[in-house]
């Protein structure tokens, strides 16, 4: 897994005040969206695996996949999506 970059609100605000764009390529929002989405996926897989174990189905984490997220206004970034050993953790596509 790549090194996690923490979203520093004060630093982002400083960059915004200095003219950096919020959206688009290298915009300020893309790292925040990436961090929030990966944190949500971490919680989802932990819950998924716990539910499997409670049902008597042995399961565990099994690394990550990488997906490129192409936003219309918030730039493109690579998202690390967790996997489980049984292959039952599935991301649903919105839209």
């Amino acid at each position: 897994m790549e090194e996690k970059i923490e979203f520093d609100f004060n630093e982002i605000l400083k960059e915004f005040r200095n003219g950096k764009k919020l959206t688009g390529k290298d915009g300020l929002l893309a790292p925040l969206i990436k961090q929030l989405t990966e944190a949500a996926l971490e919680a989802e897989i932990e819950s998924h695996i716990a539910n499997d174990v409670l049902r008597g189905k042995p399961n565990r984490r099994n690394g990550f996949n990488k997906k490129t997220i192409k936003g219309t206004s918030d730039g493109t970034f690579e998202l690390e999506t967790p996997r489980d050993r049984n292959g039952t953790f599935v991301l649903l596509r919105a839209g």
Side-chain angles (χ1 to χ4, degrees), residues 12-81:
I12 297 303
L13 187 58
K14 179 179 159 188
E15 289 183 41
F16 181 65
R17 287 180 177 155
N18 288 330
K20 190 164 182 181
K21 292 185 177 190
L22 283 175
T23 60
K25 184 171 174 22
D26 299 321
L28 297 171
L29 287 180
L32 174 62
I33 294 168
K34 174 182 170 56
Q35 186 176 349
L36 288 171
T37 305
E38 287 179 348
L41 289 171
E42 286 294 321
E44 285 288 328
I45 193 149
E46 292 299 324
S47 175
H48 175 78
I49 290 172
N51 286 333
D52 276 358
V53 171
L54 287 173
R55 287 190 224 122
K57 301 177 190 173
N59 199 359
R60 61 181 183 212
R61 298 181 65 104
N62 190 30
F64 294 89
N65 288 320
K66 294 186 179 200
K67 298 188 182 308
T68 300
I69 305 300
K70 297 178 184 176
T72 56
S73 64
D74 47 0
T76 300
F77 56 91
E78 194 166 82
L79 187 68
E80 290 190 348
T81 59

